[in-house]
Amino acid sequence: MTKLLQWLLGVSILGVAWGIVTFDILDLRLPHVYKEVAWPMPVYLLVVFGCYSLATVGYRVATFNDCEEAAKELQAQIQEAKDDLKRKGLKM
Amino acid sequence: MASRRSDTKRRGDGDKYSVLLPTYNERENLPLIVWLLVKYFGESGYDYEIIVIDDGSPDGTLQVAEQLQKIYGEDKIVLRPRAQKLGLGTAYIHGIKHAKGNFIIIMDADLSHHPKFIPEFIKKQKEGGYDLVSGTRYKGDGGVYGWDLRRKLISRGANFITQVLLRPGASDLTGSFRLYKKEVLERLVEKCVSKGYVFQMEMIVRARQLGYTIGEVPISFVDRVYGESKLGGNEIVSFLKGLLTLFATT
């Protein structure tokens, strides 16, 4: 099953469950509280996911390692390499 | 300077590592990356060869490669040039064809990938028997040098969307510094159809589909090219298109 189909399946199952609870489709006579909680769930979950995404990406950008040492080491090694290669006969 | 003795350490375990270096206009960088590869492979004692796949570079990259061959030997520097600039996938296929190694290492030739991580890749592969080992900029002490806030934001944002949509089981999908078992790389390149960044992503996604095991090693990515080639709207759009295609087809 492709990822797209997995998502559609998941969303459909949740959507049906939400519809059944919110609109009393199967005449389940659930307590009124269930309906009140279920009704705003889709929007609520979207907002929660949105906040989670922003927080996660923000955190990851803020903690993205800056490899200063690696850059310095590379610069030094480039010089070493150039000198050694010249000695070995490379014409740059 | 390292002593002569450590330069000629040899491990007799029969594994050989073929490094594929697709090049286009890398006349300046090629000698440097080869020097670093020779240094780190020499110190580690692993058997290796460096396969340079030059796509008809107008700046004389192939001539520099020939000089390097004279310096380091034709068994260590293998030239597999092509007449013109073709895709990365076909470069890998072309490079693998006469590769003598049972492992293939792919990396960029512009010094953004540092050969010092290769012994770590090898160690990781041996530890877990992994089918492929991927260098990651996003985990452990992996990281990047030379990126501004905008670039970091785009990178992390794109990676986040990719993780949510594809749940790939690897932290860095667009990275191209990897070690593969030869037969694994052959099989994957056959199956992959995307281009550019998305090609590297597709390789990991298909690897998971086929049940291959993936190990990760944190790497530092030193970008000296970013200033000249900004990540523009076009690339972002084609990345998203490619991502959605993978989402819908894998």
Side-chain angles (χ1 to χ4, degrees):
Chain A
M1 196 190 284
T2 67
K3 290 287 181 299
L4 175 61
L5 287 178
Q6 283 176 12
W7 270 77
L8 289 176
L9 184 64
V11 169
S12 307
I13 291 175
L14 289 175
V16 166
W18 177 78
I20 289 176
V21 173
T22 313
F23 300 115
D24 229 354
I25 294 176
L26 294 181
D27 238 357
L28 288 173
R29 312 279 158 94
L30 296 162
H32 197 65
V33 186
Y34 280 50
K35 250 201 219 168
E36 279 177 20
V37 169
W39 166 232
M41 265 304 159
V43 175
Y44 178 68
L45 289 175
L46 271 172
V47 171
V48 166
F49 177 70
C51 292
Y52 166 76
S53 305
L54 285 175
T56 305
V57 174
Y59 174 75
R60 288 176 180 172
V61 170
T63 56
F64 209 157
N65 277 334
D66 268 313
C67 306
E68 301 276 351
E69 294 295 319
K72 283 201 201 101
E73 181 190 42
L74 183 62
Q75 278 308 113
Q77 286 181 325
I78 288 176
Q79 198 46 57
E80 197 187 334
K82 283 187 179 164
D83 294 337
D84 190 37
L85 287 166
K86 216 180 276 175
R87 257 179 283 128
K88 288 192 159 91
L90 186 79
K91 295 185 185 30
M92 301 275 276
Chain B
M1 285 290 275
S3 72
R4 284 270 154 213
R5 200 169 299 149
S6 71
D7 283 344
T8 54
K9 178 169 49 155
R10 284 280 174 271
R11 295 178 195 247
D13 56 8
D15 287 326
K16 184 167 179 149
Y17 300 86
S18 301
V19 181
L20 298 188
L21 281 182
T23 60
Y24 190 73
N25 285 346
E26 295 289 2
R27 186 173 52 105
E28 306 270 333
N29 290 325
L30 184 61
L32 304 173
I33 189 92
V34 166
W35 188 87
L36 287 168
L37 283 164
V38 169
K39 174 184 158 79
Y40 285 96
F41 268 113
E43 283 170 11
S44 68
Y46 294 114
D47 191 15
Y48 71 101
E49 60 178 355
I50 301 170
I51 304 177
V52 180
I53 305 144
D54 185 53
D55 281 359
S57 299
D59 74 344
T61 302
L62 190 56
Q63 282 70 43
V64 173
E66 283 162 3
Q67 284 192 60
L68 290 165
Q69 237 188 359
K70 288 205 183 63
I71 296 174
Y72 291 111
E74 284 181 12
D75 58 324
K76 288 284 176 273
I77 314 284
V78 178
L79 302 184
R80 304 273 300 138
R82 302 193 295 182
Q84 56 179 16
K85 199 166 198 297
L86 300 167
L88 198 57
T90 50
Y92 291 162
I93 294 174
H94 188 74
I96 294 174
K97 232 179 253 179
H98 298 272
K100 298 210 177 77
N102 54 331
F103 288 95
I104 311 281
I105 293 166
I106 63 160
M107 61 189 299
D108 291 349
D110 62 1
L111 296 174
S112 53
H113 294 147
H114 199 302
K116 71 178 176 182
F117 293 107
I118 292 180
E120 291 182 38
F121 281 29
I122 294 175
K123 183 158 156 243
K124 183 82 188 181
Q125 192 283 322
K126 288 186 188 295
E127 260 171 37
Y130 295 108
D131 295 306
L132 77 96
V133 176
S134 171
T136 173
R137 296 158 293 177
Y138 299 133
K139 257 171 64 174
D141 54 5
V144 181
Y145 177 83
W147 279 6
D148 58 9
L149 187 62
R150 175 181 175 268
R151 184 68 182 86
K152 285 184 187 176
L153 197 55
I154 294 174
S155 180
R156 285 293 199 176
N159 184 260
F160 180 79
I161 298 174
T162 306
Q163 295 290 332
V164 168
L165 288 180
L166 299 182
R167 298 188 321 271
S171 61
D172 190 344
L173 277 103
T174 52
S176 49
F177 193 4
R178 298 182 187 157
L179 165 68
Y180 291 85
K181 285 184 187 169
K182 184 169 167 194
E183 63 275 14
V184 171
L185 181 60
E186 282 172 324
R187 188 133 177 250
L188 289 175
V189 176
E190 232 173 76
K191 286 190 145 266
C192 291
V193 296
S194 335
K195 308 257 169 281
Y197 289 122
V198 187
F199 172 69
Q200 301 294 354
M201 283 166 50
E202 195 184 352
M203 297 280 273
I204 297 262
V205 171
R206 299 249 176 242
R208 283 258 292 176
Q209 269 186 334
L210 292 170
Y212 291 129
T213 52
I214 303 175
E216 293 194 298
V217 169
I219 58 161
S220 52
F221 180 92
V222 177
D223 195 342
R224 306 190 302 154
V225 170
Y226 172 53
E228 298 142 33
S229 61
K230 305 237 170 258
L231 195 67
N234 273 334
E235 275 150 313
I236 297 180
V237 167
S238 67
F239 168 80
L240 288 173
K241 269 204 228 161
L243 176 58
L244 289 175
T245 308
L246 280 181
F247 178 63
T249 59
T250 62

